Amino acid sequence: MDGKKPKILLCEDDQNLGSVLKNYLELNDFDVTLERDGRLGLAAFQREKFDLCLLDIMMPHMDGFTLAEEIRDIDPDIPLFFLSAKTMKEDIIQGYKLGADDYITKPFDSEVLLMKIKAILKRNEETTREAENKEFDLGGYHFNPKLRELSHAGKTQTLSPKENELLKMLSEHMNDLLPREQALKKIWGSDTYFNGRSMDVYIAKLRKYLKEDEKIEIVNIHGNGFRLVAPVV
């Protein structure tokens, strides 16, 4: 984690358990944000960047399953654990269907939870490092997201942070659909009408940058999202 403490979002409405677990994880060099209900948890996730989420299921205002769906819409890859007193097979299966990396039933051993958190963060860090270093060949263009550079015919365009992130997501979904909602939530934080109009402006900018290669096209899939069409090199 580059010397920074890994950030954990802990959503737990049991005040005693939440406080004890928060203190335990902080003693083990994690930066923990504790929220008491799902709605506050979602607001925190939209406001900050986390490395892992620990979610209770039975919470006021928004349950953990609904919160997990919202989180997965924003970031499909973030590690996510459920911590729950719900031990029925159907609940556990539902948790995994929503993309949980683990489903831990209460009561649980804090030390075992700590080892599981460390193991998945280590794997995720290695995967993230590989993804961050990935570069893309888009027809006659070369795109380096780490440097925010788009090159063509000896000329290099430096992209703004949002242009870079949007082109990176399109490139990761090359010749496939990038859901509009997913891009809006990850880059802009929410899928409001005004953020949608802002994204349309950035799509227009990217089309302008890529216009020198007629084989490349950013196609608007009406109501669903965008597809970056490019020849496979």
Side-chain angles (χ1 to χ4, degrees):
M1 295 292 170
D2 301 323
K4 294 181 181 178
K5 291 183 178 182
K7 292 191 66 171
I8 293 178
L9 174 61
L10 170 60
C11 295
E12 172 60 65
D13 70 333
D14 183 321
Q15 291 193 2
N16 290 331
L17 175 58
S19 297
V20 168
L21 188 53
K22 181 178 190 292
N23 291 337
Y24 177 74
L25 292 171
E26 288 177 340
L27 285 171
N28 284 277
D29 292 325
F30 290 95
D31 180 358
V32 182
T33 296
L34 172 61
E35 299 294 351
R36 303 295 187 188
D37 68 59
R39 193 167 56 193
L40 292 173
L42 178 59
F45 191 82
Q46 291 172 328
R47 187 175 61 245
E48 302 177 54
K49 184 172 177 59
F50 293 94
D51 299 297
L52 182 140
C53 297
L54 300 175
L55 309 181
D56 183 22
I57 292 176
M58 294 183 287
M59 294 186 291
H61 303 303
M62 181 187 291
D63 66 78
F65 286 154
T66 304
L67 175 57
E69 288 183 292
E70 294 286 341
I71 286 173
R72 279 282 177 254
D73 280 343
I74 299 170
D75 188 342
D77 302 317
I78 188 167
L80 190 155
F81 290 5
F82 283 115
L83 309 175
S84 180
K86 292 167 77 72
T87 59
M88 296 289 289
K89 176 182 175 182
E90 292 79 9
D91 293 315
I92 296 172
I93 290 173
Q94 174 71 359
Y96 282 113
K97 281 183 176 178
L98 289 171
D101 293 280
D102 211 331
Y103 189 110
I104 300 168
T105 56
K106 300 174 182 176
F108 53 84
D109 186 311
S110 296
E111 190 174 357
V112 172
L113 174 63
L114 178 65
M115 292 301 105
K116 289 186 174 190
I117 289 172
K118 287 184 174 180
I120 198 162
L121 285 180
K122 183 178 179 182
R123 288 199 302 272
N124 205 54
E125 186 176 6
E126 291 169 353
T127 302
T128 300
R129 191 182 301 119
E130 290 175 4
E132 286 177 348
N133 290 330
K134 185 173 182 180
E135 300 179 20
F136 300 90
D137 288 310
L138 311 173
Y141 289 84
H142 183 75
F143 174 41
N144 185 330
K146 193 170 185 179
L147 298 179
R148 288 197 282 123
E149 290 182 349
L150 181 65
S151 304
H152 179 265
K155 297 179 181 179
T156 299
Q157 169 85 35
T158 300
L159 304 179
S160 73
K162 273 194 173 73
E163 290 169 349
N164 187 71
E165 190 61 29
L166 184 54
L167 184 56
K168 182 181 178 185
M169 290 188 75
L170 285 164
S171 299
E172 289 169 344
H173 291 75
M174 194 189 307
N175 294 315
D176 200 355
L177 175 69
L178 170 62
R180 186 180 185 87
E181 183 182 21
Q182 183 179 325
L184 279 170
K185 287 186 174 181
K186 185 163 186 179
I187 301 173
W188 276 266
S190 64
D191 60 344
T192 66
Y193 172 83
F194 295 105
N195 285 340
R197 298 288 73 76
S198 176
M199 184 167 75
D200 290 339
V201 171
Y202 279 88
I203 288 289
K205 288 182 179 180
L206 293 179
R207 284 175 173 148
K208 184 178 179 181
Y209 298 155
L210 296 167
K211 68 180 182 180
E212 299 301 326
D213 189 335
E214 60 184 19
K215 295 178 182 177
I216 298 178
E217 187 179 5
I218 300 176
V219 180
N220 182 8
I221 309 299
H222 186 67
N224 292 305
F226 298 94
R227 183 171 71 235
L228 173 61
V229 179
V232 178
V233 180

